[in-house]
Amino acid sequence: MTRVLVVEDNRSLAQGLKNNLEIEGYEVAVAGDGAEALARVREFDPALVVLDLMLPRVDGYRVLKQMRDDGLEIPVLILTAKDQEADKVRGFRLGADDYVTKPFGILELMARVNALVRRAAPKQAPVPESFGDVQVLPDRRAATKRGQDAGLTPMEFDLLIALLKRRGALVTRLQLLKEVWGHSAAVLTRTVDTHIAELRRKLEDDPAKPQHILTVRKAGYRLELGGS
């Protein structure tokens, strides 16, 4: 479970936050003051810290500064009654990632928590995919055929990815124009056909009888992942 540390000296509010976060599927620990927060952030290893600024013993600013001085890049969502612009600026300069002012709506807070956790999650390297003797390498923005670079242009690669992610489903010429070129319907769809022809030339054994990059009559194209 993803861990969240709530640093809040108001016990009732802290318990309410804990309950709502647990409903969202998080594992939650609570610290009631800044000194306890600095200890818990190391032992609990949270993915996110929800940090009140007005804390006893060590305030939230000092907690945040100490975390960043110690090299901890854990996302921090500041939660405070302070609503002055200077307080917000100070928090961001110390390394806060987001800011919610009390009183707040719980749905907005949960949305911000979820967004910060997603943003901080480790990104998986794109997985190579293949069809026939073609391998698509997203991290290199390239494709190979029988182990040799197919020499796709950037636009051809984007077109291939647009087909590939449909997993064999139809994609219309208009959809491809908007997704790959960003053009409106007023642009000639012949642009797509020309690039499809180039993809076939570079990736198909017989471009005149394609086995993978298929035309759907009067509709568009689809990528057949099976076949030889």
Side-chain angles (χ1 to χ4, degrees), residues 17-227:
L17 289 172
K18 183 175 187 292
N19 290 343
N20 279 280
L21 286 163
E22 288 177 342
I23 289 171
E24 288 283 310
Y26 295 104
E27 180 182 350
V28 183
V30 174
D33 60 58
E36 183 184 2
L38 289 171
R40 294 303 301 272
V41 78
R42 292 177 176 85
E43 66 185 37
F44 188 59
D45 190 25
L48 173 72
V49 176
V50 179
L51 177 65
D52 186 23
L53 290 182
M54 303 305 292
L55 297 169
R57 300 173 63 190
V58 179
D59 67 25
Y61 292 122
R62 292 167 63 191
V63 171
L64 180 55
K65 184 178 185 303
Q66 189 63 57
M67 287 177 58
R68 298 312 188 222
D69 287 348
D70 291 345
L72 298 175
E73 298 300 326
I74 302 164
V76 174
L77 172 65
I78 288 179
L79 184 66
T80 179
K82 286 181 174 288
D83 59 0
Q84 297 298 314
E85 183 178 3
D87 297 316
K88 298 179 182 180
V89 171
R90 182 182 177 191
F92 284 126
R93 284 178 175 172
L94 288 172
D97 296 272
D98 204 351
Y99 199 113
V100 176
T101 303
K102 301 175 186 176
F104 55 85
I106 195 64
L107 292 179
E108 178 190 0
L109 180 67
M110 291 301 116
R112 291 176 180 269
V113 166
N114 292 336
L116 285 174
V117 169
R118 284 197 305 271
R119 197 182 309 158
K123 304 298 187 295
Q124 293 185 339
V127 178
E129 299 197 54
S130 61
F131 55 91
D133 54 14
V134 174
Q135 187 173 44
V136 183
L137 310 168
D139 57 335
R140 289 173 44 193
R141 287 185 55 82
T144 63
K145 182 173 175 63
R146 299 193 185 97
Q148 299 297 313
D149 193 308
L152 300 186
T153 67
M155 200 67 75
E156 289 166 358
F157 180 82
D158 289 341
L159 180 57
L160 178 60
I161 290 296
L163 292 167
L164 182 62
K165 73 181 185 181
R166 261 72 177 196
R167 318 306 305 176
L170 165 71
V171 54
T172 67
R173 290 177 175 84
L174 181 56
Q175 287 174 320
L176 290 171
L177 275 173
K178 290 181 176 179
E179 186 170 327
V180 179
W181 284 269
H183 292 323
S184 68
V187 177
L188 294 176
T189 57
R190 186 64 185 172
T191 301
V192 177
D193 299 335
T194 300
H195 282 76
I196 287 288
E198 278 299 292
L199 274 184
R200 285 172 171 162
R201 185 179 67 81
K202 293 177 179 180
L203 301 179
E204 296 279 4
D205 289 335
D206 184 352
K209 298 179 180 178
Q211 299 297 308
H212 299 286
I213 304 170
L214 306 180
T215 299
V216 179
R217 185 177 172 82
K218 296 183 178 180
Y221 298 97
R222 70 181 186 87
L223 183 65
E224 175 60 58
L225 300 177

